[in-house]
Amino acid sequence: MATSAQQLNRFFQACDKLMNEKYMVADSRIEDVLRSIAESRALTDLFSAVTERFDYPSAKRLYLRFPASSTSFHGKAFLPEDRGEVLAFVFCLLVDIDAGRIKFDDFLLRYFYEDGSYTASFALFSDRMLRPFRDIVKECFPDVSQPVRDGSVAQKARIKNAAWETFTALAIEERARIKTLGLSSVDAIAGDMILSELIQAAGKNNLTAINALLSGYHYFLRALFLDGGKELIKASRELE
């Protein structure tokens, strides 16, 4: 069983991954952050305490704002001054995003608009909300620190992360390509479903599911006498 320090470090690592990874896998990373909280007694106690009397509906009205007398679709998000309320507010937002009560795409472009780009808007959200959220939790547990990686381990981690990003990008491109082939509605839906599941599996770094889905996709292409998929299969080998 993991120690309390190990559980806390999993939370910090999950926060770092969420902030540093691509926007397109943010949903699964938010799920990881919330799971790491649920698995830590120290963190569940902390967030139970800060949310116990926190008025989240009022906080949303106060800190998610639109300019007065403006017809602009774009507003701004703020954080409370109280550090405990910062934890409660961001935690509740993450729970709502994970549960689908807040549509993350719309939320980013509405309150963190940056050149109309989801990637840039997500970076702004990470800097303004996720970073303070993580740092305040760190200050609550000053005796816990993540182990320092040596250079070779860090380099391997960077290479592995790059491989996952490449694979995910190729899967997204393949999904877009299949839609342009003029397949029958049944075949188009089947191909899109496989690739959609593949992208989700990549977001969770689930190599077992990826291998199973790729096998199915390979036979899907062969059955329809279609080319393609080779780069995707090649990229999957770099994930092992």
Side-chain angles (χ1 to χ4, degrees), residues 9 26 28 43 80 99 111 131 133 183 191 202 209 238:
N9 276 325
S28 64
L43 290 174
Y111 298 108
R131 195 175 306 281
F133 173 75
L183 302 177
E238 300 299 321

Side-chain angles (χ1 to χ4, degrees), residues 157-169:
R158 283 192 292 270
I159 293 172
K160 186 64 71 176
N161 286 338
W164 280 102
E165 290 178 9
T166 298
F167 178 83
T168 303

Side-chain angles (χ1 to χ4, degrees), residues 28-198:
S28 64
R29 296 308 181 202
I30 289 174
E31 183 182 350
D32 290 343
V33 170
L34 295 176
R35 185 185 300 112
S36 69
I37 292 173
E39 292 173 350
S40 167
R41 177 63 182 272
L43 290 174
T44 54
D45 287 349
L46 172 64
F47 286 102
S48 293
V50 298
T51 58
E52 184 177 6
R53 297 184 180 179
F54 181 66
D55 188 346
Y56 177 52
S58 295
K60 283 199 292 184
R61 291 191 294 270
L62 184 60
Y63 300 118
L64 301 178
R65 306 179 196 168
F66 284 90
S69 66
S70 172
T71 58
S72 171
F73 175 78
H74 309 300
K76 288 189 177 180
F78 301 86
L79 286 177
E81 292 185 4
D82 181 84
R83 298 167 75 78
E85 290 189 357
V86 170
L87 294 183
F89 183 52
V90 177
F91 173 74
C92 289
L93 284 176
L94 294 177
V95 170
D96 267 1
I97 292 167
D98 183 61
R101 290 186 290 268
I102 290 178
K103 293 184 178 180
F104 197 34
D105 292 357
D106 294 344
F107 176 77
L108 288 177
L109 292 188
R110 180 168 292 190
Y111 298 108
F112 299 90
Y113 184 82
E114 190 76 5
D115 299 328
S117 162
Y118 286 122
T119 298
S121 297
F122 176 63
L124 196 60
F125 168 71
S126 295
D127 190 58
R128 291 186 179 176
M129 288 205 157
L130 297 177
R131 195 175 306 281
F133 173 75
R134 178 205 61 186
D135 290 347
I136 292 172
V137 176
K138 278 190 174 183
E139 291 172 10
C140 293
F141 302 97
D143 295 333
V144 177
S145 60
Q146 298 184 52
V148 178
R149 292 173 168 174
D150 62 47
S152 61
V153 174
Q155 177 65 14
K156 289 179 180 178
R158 283 192 292 270
I159 293 172
K160 186 64 71 176
N161 286 338
W164 280 102
E165 290 178 9
T166 298
F167 178 83
T168 303
L170 286 171
I172 291 171
E173 290 176 8
E174 183 69 7
R175 187 182 183 191
R177 185 184 75 88
I178 284 294
K179 292 179 180 179
T180 69
L181 298 182
L183 302 177
S184 70
S185 59
V186 173
D187 290 336
I189 290 171
D192 186 72
M193 186 178 297
I194 294 172
L195 291 165
S196 176
E197 291 293 327
L198 194 63

